[in-house]
Amino acid sequence: IWRSSYDVRPPPLKKTDKRHPSHDPKYKALAKYYLPDSESLKDTYNRLLPYWKKTISTELVKGKMVLISAHGNSLRALVKHLENISNENIVNLEIPTGIPLVYELDKELKPKRKYSLKI
């Protein structure tokens, strides 16, 4: 059910599982309570939105081009926000791996044009 749901989390990883983020060296400076055992798309969306508003959109408003390279769920959450996709429909969105997705935005940061770069 969690694979086809916006707000249902997958089964949590045990802290002893080597895939748990607490075993990843890039997170060693973070307090352990910041590292989730599981995360739904809704959790990702709620974590992404403040960063979008505070950091990414600020650069876009300045007229800068921004390249975002991220995990599939983070990208899905960003597309949900940009395109105002419903919770029910976002779970069906597939974003191909390794194919850049380009958004041209208007002054209100709403999509004017969207396309994939074929490399």
Side-chain angles (χ1 to χ4, degrees):
I1 186 167
W2 60 270
R3 288 182 192 257
S4 60
S5 174
Y6 173 68
D7 57 359
V8 175
R9 292 180 177 148
L13 289 174
K14 293 181 180 178
K15 302 262 192 260
T16 56
D17 190 314
K18 292 184 185 209
R19 297 171 298 159
H20 192 281
S22 62
H23 300 286
D24 191 325
K26 69 180 163 238
Y27 301 123
K28 69 180 177 183
L30 285 176
K32 300 298 181 211
Y33 61 84
Y34 284 124
L35 302 174
D37 299 332
S38 180
E39 188 173 62
S40 68
L41 179 53
K42 180 180 179 180
D43 295 327
T44 304
Y45 181 85
N46 290 334
R47 185 170 41 83
L48 172 119
L49 214 49
Y51 188 75
W52 164 262
K53 290 177 180 176
K54 183 179 178 185
T55 305
I56 299 170
S57 66
T58 303
E59 295 301 309
L60 292 169
V61 168
K62 292 178 188 174
K64 294 186 178 180
M65 256 192 245
V66 176
L67 173 68
I68 299 171
S69 176
H71 183 275
N73 245 14
S74 298
L75 295 174
R76 194 173 290 109
L78 181 55
V79 169
K80 175 182 177 18
H81 173 71
L82 289 174
E83 297 186 27
N84 198 28
I85 299 173
S86 72
N87 296 348
E88 295 75 30
N89 289 334
I90 193 61
V91 296
N92 299 316
L93 177 70
E94 292 293 329
I95 300 175
T97 301
I99 300 174
L101 182 58
V102 178
Y103 278 89
E104 294 178 11
L105 307 175
D106 65 18
K107 291 182 188 215
E108 286 78 41
L109 302 181
K110 302 293 181 203
K112 291 189 307 186
R113 186 172 171 223
K114 168 187 165 184
Y115 55 93
S116 296
L117 291 180
K118 306 289 185 204
I119 300 175

